[in-house]
Amino acid sequence: MSGSGAAPGPGSGSSPAACRFAHYFVLCGIDADSGLEPDELAVLYQWLEADRHGKSQDAANTTSGRNSLRGENFDQSPLRRTFKSKVLAHYPQNIEWNPFDQDAVNMLCMPKGLSFRTQADNKDPQFHSFIITREDGSRTYGFVLTFYEEVTSKQICTAMQTLYQMHNAEQYSSVYASSSCSMDSLASSIDEGDATSLLKLQRYNSYDINRDTLYVSKSICLITPLPFMQACRKFLLQLHKAVTSQQPPPLPLESYIHNILYEVPLPPPGRSLKFYGVYEPVICQRPGPNELPLSDYPLREACELLGLENLVQVFTCVLLEMQILLYSQDYQRLMTVAEGITTLLFPFQWQHVYVPILPASLLHFLDAPVPYLMGLQSKEGTDRSKLELPQEANLCFVDIDNHFIELPEEFPQFPNKVDFIQELSEVLLQFGIPPEGSLHCSESATKLKNMVLKDLANDKKNGNVPTNNVSVYELLKGSETIARLQALAKRTGVTVGKIDFPASLSEKEKDLKLQCEEADLRDSQLNVQLREVFANRFTQMFADYEAFVIQTAQDMESWLTSREQMQNFDKASFLSDQPEPYLPFLSRFIETQMFATFIDNKIMSQWEEKDPLLRVFDSRIEKMRLYNVRAPTLRTSIYQKCSSLKEAAQSIEQRLMKMDHTAIHPHLLDMKIGQGKYEQGFFPKLQSDVLATGPANNNRWVSRSTTAQRRKERLRQNAEHIGLDSDLREKYMQEARSLGKNLRQPKLSDLSPAVIAQTNWKFVEGLLKECRMKGKSALWSHLIQFQDREEKQEHLTDSPVALGPERRKSDSGVMLPTLRVSLIQDMRHVQNMTEIKTDVGRARAWIRLSLEKKLLSQHLKQLLSNQPLTKKLYKRYAFLRCEEEREQFLYHLLSLNAVDYFCFTSVFTTIMIPYRSVIIPIKKLSNAIITSNPWICVSGELGDTGVMQIPKNLLEMTFECQNLGKLTTVQIGHDNSGLLAKWLVDCVMVRNEITGHTYRFPCGRWLGKGVDDGSLERILIGELMTSASDEDLGKQCRTPPQQKSPTTTRRLSITSLTGKPAKPNAGQIQEGIGEAVNNIVKHFHKPEKERGSLTVLLCGENGLVAALEQVFHHGFKSARIFHKNVFIWDFVEKAVAYFESTDQILDNEDDMLIQKPSCKTFCHYVNAVNTAPRNIGKDGKFQILVCLGTRDHLLPQWIPLLAECPAITRMYEENALLRDHMTVNSLIRILQTIQDFTIVLEGSLIKGVDV
């Protein structure tokens, strides 16, 4: 089945056999001729495991080690050992399009080989399934029922007796040698671990050929092209019942097997089928062409096993293509969870390693450095903590049996996860299933439920069958409910006979059958409703995906050759169009292989038939658009529930209640005399010749119906390729019309172009479809043609495009040139963005850019003013040709200019953007030229430029770098070289040359040694300038900074040059502190998206640093007393010197204990600022200290230290705020209000300071 060159999948071949329900019937078990053969692969695995756990070479050379390599591990009881199974028979011998892979089927039918039991062990049949993926990606499903048969071969019984004698001898010698049992023995049996109790050991692990009956496992298996799990399970259970029943079956088993192999067809899409097992009919159904694909694995079980929260988390890991390892004792649980989660991926498909049941011999696959989804069977008694997992950061470990998952270190949450889980919970609760899973149920209730439903129980010994022999009577014997019923019966005089539970169950077989059918229906309905909710999320998230698919102009062969080098999806434009909360997940998901394959299938659909999943998904998007013609849904993060749950459940119910097709009844075959002999408890040796081939007439009904079905399928697919079926289309039209029935119905006299566009929904639908085709955009097409006409006109008149008006020199001789408002220039900016690959993406980027520049209305007015072009592109009744409506539309757009949008800057974060910077000095007060080498570093919310050298005496420069986002700070400095090194900078202006956003960074301070505070570099805080006319902008550039400068109040060294600023009084200073802290508190109480820059609130005008400077400046003794400039930092350094020179902090010992750590911390921070490798001046150092103290919530501890420092009496007047205890206490209380907030400082503020 893993052979190469697999032919087309089921239903597509020319032979009727391609439409058969089952491809193979397989029988696996013990080969009596070859006898007991150790399973070499399993033994090798055990030896490798021992090696991985660090067994020494000496241990490997012991008797048990040597025997392990021979496949005879004497430490393990023979009943627990693994023996080689074999495919005893399979029918038919081979199918051309699905070759039989004997080794794979044998390994997956009996993953741990043969298992032996005695009459004392539980021998209930066990069901599990598996999957084989062929080289072309198609899948084949296997369904297995494992049961036990008595061993009749004397040779094998004798061999088992001999193995036990050798095993017991080895155990005796081990005990008397005081050696411990091996790891394998301890892991496989608690009883065997008790090495001191030999009698107990022999009692539970013995086989006596004269006393015990030996049983061996055997498997029957159906291999099918589609996962009809429930139908196959019922058929196999009926076969097993026929073997174990006291009465022989109505017909030889060959009749039933021949019937399902050759005479039962696959049900056509959208139809149900009834075929016959040994005792009762079996029903199955197949979804229609526009429904979700077939999935028969009950999602109910997956939800009960994992719980909804865990299921969604694992689902997210699968979507992001991480490594997912499922872990359970139960093979069927592994399949149920794996198939359940991959089913929920619709319309996407898992593209990597998929092995839901990993045989023990292939455990090394877990170390593969690739995404995988694998299932590993756990051993009974194995400690989860001892399991050696690959040390991968992206591993998701799912312990199914313990309701536990280990998630990767970091991964984004699924969009709207809380609302999503809530909707899924509502669906589960309607079916009476708790969303948190069912592990809280009592053990006895779970066992009883598993027994009645014949579900898979925990694997206790071999992996194919459970150990515990649970009797229904034993479970119910102590039940309080049964006791009450018996007491009630006694009181009312009703005689209760002996309770025989097996008999009572068989008497009610018919009722149970009806309940099972009802349960099957509910499982199917729950399955489809849960899947609809998942599918609806993808339909909502990817409703517009088609607009961003980059369609190729190549032919198919050329595209296939170069597909690895080509970009097929406009990722940047798609992400720019998504709600912000979705971006962490979507930005990673669109990089996965499953998404890339989905887009490849979309592109391939222009040359060949659509992929079935893609066809269904596209039809759902089309349906959603038709529903929303009158009420278009905006791209929003608001959760939208699934509206098709009831419809999906009804379609399932209709198919299961009324059979569309009934297969031919099983019948007698032309068998040899003596064949088909029945012997209770033994699966008969089947007659090969009657099962090797199908009926001679190839079953005319099947042939005729499948041929007609294929013809119908081709016609249907052709109709779907053109559009929706006419019936569905009319239905959707009616529903779409009904959405707008409450709107005013127009009269003929009202038929203005606007009314026509509103009411003629067919036209609107056609227009939407036209705009969506192949990533085209009506707006961008209009813009391109406008650009071509404008550029031709400019070329004819030979008038070059002016980059900007002629510069006018300001008093400082420097200014920013004005950006020319140009629709064409904004188009060129978008055309230069290589990240955008589609016209739809370019059109949306242009709208975002125009909106951010507050030019959208103006640009569209210019675009539509070219009436000849508008008439050429749009029909007479188009909305844009209605002058009155157009003017109103443009007027409404004009109102958007009242808001500052950053919808371009914040979305296209990776594009290269040109910036222009201008340094404006105060030339009247400083040198005309400087001899030092200046530099600048611009920082924004998305990054910084790094240090850029400025050419000498060139105060303006342009540079290009990756989008910095909103600009926050500028670091400016020089190296103090040459004679004229002192530099008085008024401000720095930086402009984004694409968006036009201009930021002003006020300075008003000297840069140079021996002047001002001796700073060679300063950190300037930016403010976004409001848009103004050219003259206003020029004035702002020429005028020295006024109230907007965050450093105005600090100009202690140049007060004589600029006029003495008015000093604020104590009340104003305290008010300023309160306002600064209050602004920070309000910042953190806003939604995260609405918060502004924290840097401005800390270091900008009226920020916390400026407010604290006012506090420290109040009452500060003037420079005349000291005959030199004295700064706050000088006071801070004197305080540090005092703290470091004396141990006596306060007279009170308790206070000393409290204050001493604060002193050490304060000194550490001040020294770190002083020793930082930066040429920051004294005021800059104070700013850094305040920022660090705010971040680490230390300011309330530092303020009282400084207020009590002896230096304060020498450097501050008596009326200073810092010398007033009430004021200091009030200041501390105010600063404590920001203690609970997590404050993250911008890197440029504290660069180089190591604390």
Side-chain angles (χ1 to χ4, degrees):
M1 238 156 298
S2 57
S4 59
S12 59
S14 57
S15 166
C19 290
R20 293 203 304 243
F21 181 87
H23 287 173
Y24 292 99
F25 177 83
V26 185
L27 190 65
C28 293
I30 188 169
D31 184 4
D33 296 332
S34 56
L36 290 180
E37 288 186 73
D39 189 339
E40 294 172 4
L41 287 174
V43 170
L44 176 62
Y45 158 67
Q46 290 171 1
W47 184 78
L48 289 172
E49 277 293 281
D51 187 58
R52 284 179 64 176
H53 283 86
K55 280 191 175 181
S56 66
Q57 189 63 39
D58 293 338
N61 290 331
T62 62
T63 306
S64 62
R66 291 190 300 272
N67 290 332
S68 290
L69 293 178
R70 294 202 312 266
E72 297 177 5
N73 183 358
F74 288 120
D75 284 337
Q76 203 169 30
S77 67
L79 285 179
R80 302 285 179 106
R81 297 180 196 172
T82 53
F83 297 95
K84 192 181 293 183
S85 62
K86 185 177 179 181
V87 174
L88 303 178
H90 67 277
Y91 309 102
Q93 284 303 304
N94 209 38
I95 296 175
E96 183 183 349
W97 65 90
N98 185 9
F100 187 78
D101 187 333
Q102 185 156 312
D103 292 335
V105 172
N106 181 39
M107 187 184 295
L108 291 167
C109 278
M110 308 188 87
K112 299 193 75 174
L114 293 172
S115 171
F116 284 91
R117 296 283 186 271
T118 66
Q119 74 282 353
D121 296 311
N122 177 34
K123 299 178 289 299
D124 288 341
Q126 186 77 296
F127 176 82
H128 78 273
S129 54
F130 62 82
I131 189 171
I132 294 178
T133 305
R134 294 193 289 260
E135 290 179 1
D136 63 350
S138 58
R139 292 175 175 179
T140 298
Y141 296 84
F143 303 98
V144 186
L145 187 72
T146 303
F147 55 94
Y148 281 89
E149 273 188 357
E150 183 180 341
V151 178
T152 56
S153 168
K154 276 285 185 187
Q155 179 186 356
I156 291 175
C157 292
T158 305
M160 182 62 70
Q161 174 90 343
T162 305
L163 286 174
Y164 255 106
Q165 290 170 351
M166 296 169 66
H167 171 70
N168 289 337
E170 181 69 22
Q171 290 296 309
Y172 272 107
S173 63
S174 298
V175 170
Y176 290 121
S178 300
S179 63
S180 64
C181 296
S182 73
M183 292 283 286
D184 292 328
S185 176
L186 288 170
S188 62
S189 171
I190 296 172
D191 294 330
E192 288 177 27
D194 188 2
T196 60
S197 180
L198 292 179
L199 292 176
K200 187 177 179 182
L201 182 146
Q202 288 178 342
R203 189 184 310 123
Y204 287 100
N205 292 290
S206 64
Y207 169 69
D208 187 334
I209 195 168
N210 298 316
R211 181 192 67 206
D212 298 318
T213 306
L214 190 64
Y215 295 86
V216 66
S217 56
K218 180 174 280 189
S219 291
I220 49 176
C221 169
L222 278 178
I223 293 176
T224 65
L226 292 177
F228 290 108
M229 187 198 76
Q230 300 292 358
C232 292
R233 180 171 168 271
K234 289 177 181 177
F235 180 82
L236 293 174
L237 283 170
Q238 289 188 47
L239 276 186
H240 175 255
K241 182 179 176 183
V243 172
T244 56
S245 175
Q246 293 181 356
Q247 299 297 323
L251 294 171
L253 293 190
E254 284 88 344
S255 296
Y256 303 103
I257 296 169
H258 181 276
N259 178 252
I260 199 169
L261 285 178
Y262 301 110
E263 297 171 332
V264 177
L266 278 175
R271 297 288 185 266
S272 54
L273 171 73
K274 180 164 73 173
F275 64 93
Y276 293 89
V278 181
Y279 297 106
E280 60 188 28
V282 177
I283 295 168
C284 61
Q285 58 89 27
R286 189 173 173 188
N290 287 315
E291 297 178 51
L292 295 173
L294 175 66
S295 174
D296 211 18
Y297 287 86
L299 289 172
R300 168 186 55 80
E301 288 187 22
C303 293
E304 287 176 338
L305 290 169
L306 295 183
L308 208 47
E309 173 83 19
N310 287 346
L311 182 72
V312 171
Q313 294 288 59
V314 177
F315 171 72
T316 307
C317 291
V318 173
L319 281 173
L320 299 177
E321 296 186 337
M322 298 178 175
Q323 293 180 331
I324 293 90
L325 179 60
L326 309 177
Y327 190 67
S328 173
Q329 294 186 30
D330 196 325
Y331 289 130
Q332 186 60 12
R333 284 184 177 181
L334 296 174
M335 277 297 295
T336 298
V337 173
E339 279 293 291
I341 288 177
T342 52
T343 295
L344 297 175
L345 296 176
F346 170 87
F348 308 102
Q349 289 179 289
W350 180 258
Q351 299 294 317
H352 299 279
V353 177
Y354 182 66
V355 188
I357 298 176
L358 183 68
S361 56
L362 305 180
L363 192 64
H364 58 278
F365 277 24
L366 295 178
D367 295 320
V370 295
Y372 57 68
L373 203 170
M374 298 198 214
L376 182 65
Q377 194 221 19
S378 58
K379 299 175 183 177
E380 182 197 1
T382 301
D383 186 355
R384 154 73 188 88
S385 61
K386 293 180 182 177
L387 180 68
E388 292 190 17
L389 296 175
Q391 296 301 313
E392 296 290 342
N394 65 339
L395 177 69
C396 174
F397 178 78
V398 185
D399 189 345
I400 297 173
D401 299 336
N402 294 315
H403 203 74
F404 168 77
I405 62 172
E406 283 180 15
L407 293 169
E409 294 172 0
E410 289 183 10
F411 77 102
Q413 296 297 318
F414 191 74
N416 297 114
K417 178 186 161 191
V418 175
D419 295 317
F420 182 45
I421 290 177
Q422 177 62 31
E423 185 180 8
L424 291 169
S425 300
E426 291 170 7
V427 175
L428 287 174
L429 289 171
Q430 285 178 359
F431 288 85
I433 297 167
E436 65 274 11
S438 62
L439 283 191
H440 61 279
C441 296
S442 67
E443 186 180 359
S444 61
T446 306
K447 288 176 181 175
L448 177 60
K449 176 183 173 186
N450 287 349
M451 171 164 286
V452 173
L453 296 179
K454 299 181 181 176
D455 275 349
L456 192 63
N458 285 345
D459 174 22
K460 300 297 182 184
K461 289 192 178 177
N462 175 256
N464 292 321
V465 288
T467 291
N468 296 334
N469 187 9
V470 182
S471 161
V472 179
Y473 178 72
E474 288 298 317
L475 283 172
L476 296 182
K477 188 166 61 177
S479 168
E480 188 179 344
T481 305
I482 293 293
R484 287 178 180 175
L485 287 172
Q486 288 175 334
L488 178 64
K490 190 173 182 180
R491 282 200 305 272
T492 54
V494 177
T495 305
V496 181
K498 184 180 178 182
I499 299 175
D500 187 349
F501 281 91
S504 63
L505 287 174
S506 62
E507 288 165 10
K508 301 294 182 183
E509 191 173 351
K510 185 177 180 181
D511 294 339
L512 275 178
K513 185 191 79 170
L514 293 173
Q515 289 171 17
C516 288
E517 287 180 357
E518 179 68 24
D520 289 346
L521 173 61
R522 288 177 63 79
D523 270 357
S524 299
Q525 289 179 325
L526 176 61
N527 260 26
V528 76
Q529 289 198 355
L530 288 174
R531 293 172 67 202
E532 285 287 346
V533 175
F534 278 84
N536 178 59
R537 295 311 307 135
F538 289 123
T539 309
Q540 298 287 348
M541 280 192 281
F542 294 96
D544 291 327
Y545 85 95
E546 196 174 352
F548 304 97
V549 176
I550 304 170
Q551 297 285 3
T552 177
Q554 300 174 312
D555 59 86
M556 182 174 170
E557 292 301 323
S558 304
W559 181 79
L560 287 171
T561 304
S562 57
R563 67 192 296 188
E564 295 297 327
Q565 289 76 39
M566 294 180 66
Q567 292 219 19
N568 299 331
F569 191 71
D570 190 352
K571 297 173 183 175
S573 299
F574 173 76
L575 291 176
S576 72
D577 205 42
Q578 304 309 308
E580 189 174 340
Y582 292 10
L583 295 180
F585 171 80
L586 287 177
S587 59
R588 286 186 58 175
F589 178 66
I590 62 174
E591 299 294 337
T592 60
Q593 186 61 45
M594 72 173 74
F595 185 77
T597 303
F598 174 76
I599 298 300
D600 284 351
N601 288 339
K602 181 66 179 176
I603 294 173
M604 291 284 287
S605 66
Q606 63 185 311
W607 298 302
E608 62 182 29
E609 185 184 343
K610 264 190 184 180
D611 173 76
L613 296 183
L614 178 65
R615 188 188 69 238
V616 176
F617 188 65
D618 282 352
S619 71
R620 284 166 172 257
I621 291 176
E622 189 70 23
K623 176 181 175 181
M624 187 176 73
R625 285 174 178 159
L626 287 170
Y627 269 123
N628 295 328
V629 165
R630 289 283 178 84
T633 54
L634 300 173
R635 277 170 294 280
T636 171
S637 59
I638 297 173
Y639 190 81
Q640 294 175 326
K641 286 189 173 183
C642 180
S643 59
S644 58
L645 297 183
K646 189 175 180 182
E647 181 186 338
Q650 285 175 346
S651 63
I652 294 279
E653 186 171 6
Q654 287 168 3
R655 279 199 294 271
L656 287 177
M657 298 306 285
K658 182 184 176 183
M659 290 298 105
D660 296 305
H661 301 290
T662 302
I664 295 173
H665 282 255
H667 50 86
L668 279 170
L669 303 174
D670 185 16
M671 296 173 63
K672 295 177 182 176
I673 297 174
Q675 289 291 334
K677 184 180 177 183
Y678 173 77
E679 186 178 353
Q680 184 184 356
F682 294 94
F683 200 87
K685 184 175 182 181
L686 301 174
Q687 186 171 328
S688 300
D689 52 354
V690 297
L691 294 178
T693 56
N697 63 358
N698 277 337
N699 193 350
R700 291 178 199 159
W701 178 81
V702 173
S703 179
R704 183 168 63 250
S705 65
T706 51
T707 305
Q709 182 63 31
R710 283 198 300 274
R711 189 185 304 114
K712 186 177 177 182
E713 186 80 2
R714 282 198 300 273
L715 291 172
R716 184 193 56 73
Q717 288 167 355
N718 185 49
E720 281 194 352
H721 189 71
I722 297 168
L724 294 165
D725 293 332
S726 58
D727 293 342
L728 283 173
R729 177 178 285 275
E730 186 59 34
K731 177 186 171 187
Y732 297 154
M733 285 179 180
Q734 293 295 341
E735 290 171 346
R737 288 193 186 104
S738 68
L739 285 175
K741 64 185 177 184
N742 59 336
L743 295 177
R744 177 176 62 87
Q745 295 301 316
K747 300 177 183 177
L748 289 175
S749 58
D750 293 337
L751 290 180
S752 66
V755 174
I756 294 173
Q758 185 185 45
T759 57
N760 192 342
W761 77 272
K762 286 186 180 179
F763 163 72
V764 175
E765 183 210 347
L767 181 64
L768 287 172
K769 190 172 182 181
E770 188 70 25
C771 292
R772 289 195 300 267
M773 284 180 61
K774 299 184 179 178
K776 291 181 180 177
S777 163
L779 173 59
W780 191 251
S781 177
H782 194 161
L783 285 167
I784 288 292
Q785 295 196 44
F786 178 82
Q787 182 184 31
D788 291 342
R789 291 191 176 207
E790 290 291 305
E791 288 176 346
K792 283 178 184 175
Q793 196 172 345
E794 285 179 0
H795 183 70
L796 291 172
T797 56
D798 291 325
S799 59
V801 178
L803 296 176
E806 187 177 341
R807 295 187 185 184
R808 295 169 297 167
K809 291 203 171 184
S810 64
D811 296 340
S812 63
V814 184
M815 65 169 286
L816 275 173
T818 308
L819 271 180
R820 178 172 177 252
V821 176
S822 167
L823 184 155
I824 302 297
Q825 189 60 36
D826 287 347
M827 282 188 65
R828 288 175 183 151
H829 286 315
V830 172
Q831 287 166 328
N832 290 334
M833 293 168 63
T834 56
E835 295 86 353
I836 300 178
K837 311 294 181 184
T838 58
D839 288 351
V840 170
R842 294 183 187 97
R844 294 183 179 186
W846 180 84
I847 292 173
R848 288 176 179 275
L849 178 57
S850 303
L851 195 58
E852 187 164 324
K853 296 179 79 169
K854 304 189 176 184
L855 294 172
L856 183 58
S857 181
Q858 186 176 335
H859 279 348
L860 289 176
K861 187 172 184 178
Q862 183 184 354
L863 178 68
L864 299 173
S865 64
N866 189 329
Q867 292 198 2
L869 179 59
T870 308
K871 287 180 180 179
K872 174 189 170 187
L873 293 175
Y874 294 93
K875 294 183 179 179
R876 177 182 54 79
Y877 49 79
F879 175 85
L880 293 177
R881 287 187 61 181
C882 172
E883 186 174 353
E884 184 181 330
E885 300 292 335
R886 184 177 70 235
E887 289 302 318
Q888 190 174 1
F889 168 64
L890 294 174
Y891 177 76
H892 285 310
L893 288 181
L894 195 59
S895 65
L896 296 175
N897 292 356
V899 183
D900 289 326
Y901 291 101
F902 290 89
C903 50
F904 181 88
T905 303
S906 60
V907 165
F908 299 106
T909 56
T910 59
I911 64 172
M912 299 300 290
I913 290 183
Y915 294 89
R916 185 185 296 269
S917 69
V918 174
I919 301 168
I920 302 175
I922 304 178
K923 291 213 168 182
K924 289 181 180 177
L925 306 176
S926 65
N927 303 315
I929 59 172
I930 59 169
T931 56
S932 58
N933 299 302
W935 57 266
I936 191 172
C937 175
V938 182
S939 300
E941 292 180 346
L942 300 177
D944 63 61
T945 60
V947 172
M948 299 181 293
Q949 296 297 326
I950 305 171
K952 279 187 181 179
N953 299 313
L954 279 180
L955 299 177
E956 180 183 341
M957 66 182 288
T958 57
F959 57 91
E960 189 176 66
C961 67
Q962 187 169 306
N963 186 0
L964 299 174
K966 297 178 189 176
L967 302 188
T968 51
T969 62
V970 158
Q971 298 164 71
I972 186 172
H974 62 82
D975 63 356
N976 204 44
S977 60
L979 297 173
L980 302 173
K982 296 171 184 175
W983 197 18
L984 180 58
V985 176
D986 177 20
C987 66
V988 177
M989 308 284 290
V990 182
R991 183 172 68 204
N992 181 322
E993 293 292 277
I994 291 182
T995 66
H997 285 314
T998 304
Y999 295 83
R1000 186 170 183 273
F1001 299 86
C1003 179
R1005 302 291 295 267
W1006 285 93
L1007 289 165
K1009 289 290 184 186
V1011 65
D1012 203 338
D1013 65 346
S1015 178
L1016 291 182
E1017 67 173 277
R1018 294 197 183 276
I1019 304 167
L1020 311 181
I1021 311 303
E1023 58 193 27
L1024 178 64
M1025 296 185 66
T1026 55
S1027 56
S1029 63
D1030 292 350
E1031 285 81 12
D1032 291 338
L1033 188 61
K1035 284 178 184 176
Q1036 287 180 14
C1037 293
R1038 291 194 297 271
T1039 306
Q1042 297 171 3
Q1043 80 273 16
K1044 284 290 184 183
S1045 170
T1047 52
T1048 304
T1049 55
R1050 303 185 219 162
R1051 297 183 198 163
L1052 301 180
S1053 61
I1054 56 173
T1055 50
S1056 60
L1057 301 174
T1058 60
K1060 223 170 193 180
K1063 289 186 178 180
N1065 59 38
Q1068 291 172 326
I1069 292 173
Q1070 287 177 300
E1071 188 178 331
I1073 277 283
E1075 185 181 346
V1077 171
N1078 194 34
N1079 286 336
I1080 294 174
V1081 173
K1082 285 194 285 188
H1083 168 88
F1084 283 102
H1085 279 93
K1086 290 179 182 177
E1088 195 167 346
K1089 286 172 64 177
E1090 297 176 18
R1091 296 175 186 174
S1093 170
L1094 185 60
T1095 302
V1096 172
L1097 298 181
L1098 289 173
C1099 306
E1101 179 193 15
N1102 300 325
L1104 183 61
V1105 173
L1108 282 172
E1109 277 189 342
Q1110 295 278 14
V1111 172
F1112 278 84
H1113 275 305
H1114 187 266
F1116 200 60
K1117 291 183 179 179
S1118 68
R1120 289 194 301 273
I1121 296 176
F1122 299 105
H1123 302 293
K1124 64 176 182 175
N1125 289 330
V1126 181
F1127 296 87
I1128 299 172
W1129 193 251
D1130 295 318
F1131 167 63
V1132 170
E1133 288 183 327
K1134 285 184 182 297
V1136 169
Y1138 168 73
F1139 294 145
E1140 290 180 339
S1141 64
T1142 177
D1143 292 328
Q1144 184 65 31
I1145 308 301
L1146 290 171
D1147 294 333
N1148 188 307
E1149 289 296 323
D1150 293 334
D1151 287 344
M1152 186 187 76
L1153 292 174
I1154 296 169
Q1155 297 288 335
K1156 200 164 186 177
S1158 300
C1159 290
K1160 286 186 176 180
T1161 306
F1162 179 71
C1163 295
H1164 172 64
Y1165 275 68
V1166 172
N1167 291 331
V1169 173
N1170 269 330
T1171 56
R1174 298 177 69 177
N1175 294 308
I1176 296 284
K1178 293 180 178 180
D1179 282 346
K1181 289 178 179 178
F1182 181 76
Q1183 175 175 289
I1184 293 174
L1185 184 66
V1186 172
C1187 288
L1188 290 171
T1190 307
R1191 182 193 70 182
D1192 299 335
H1193 309 123
L1194 296 171
L1195 288 180
Q1197 299 175 27
W1198 292 349
I1199 296 293
L1201 292 179
L1202 293 171
E1204 297 293 334
C1205 175
I1208 199 166
T1209 56
R1210 298 195 302 272
M1211 302 184 73
Y1212 282 88
E1213 305 284 353
E1214 282 188 19
N1215 63 344
L1217 288 175
L1218 282 179
R1219 295 184 65 176
D1220 180 68
H1221 287 292
M1222 288 183 63
T1223 305
V1224 169
N1225 289 335
S1226 174
L1227 177 60
I1228 292 169
R1229 285 196 302 273
I1230 292 172
L1231 291 173
Q1232 283 173 338
T1233 59
I1234 56 176
Q1235 295 289 86
D1236 295 332
F1237 303 119
T1238 303
I1239 293 175
V1240 179
L1241 298 177
E1242 190 175 327
S1244 59
L1245 294 178
I1246 54 171
K1247 186 162 62 177
V1249 181
D1250 182 19
V1251 290

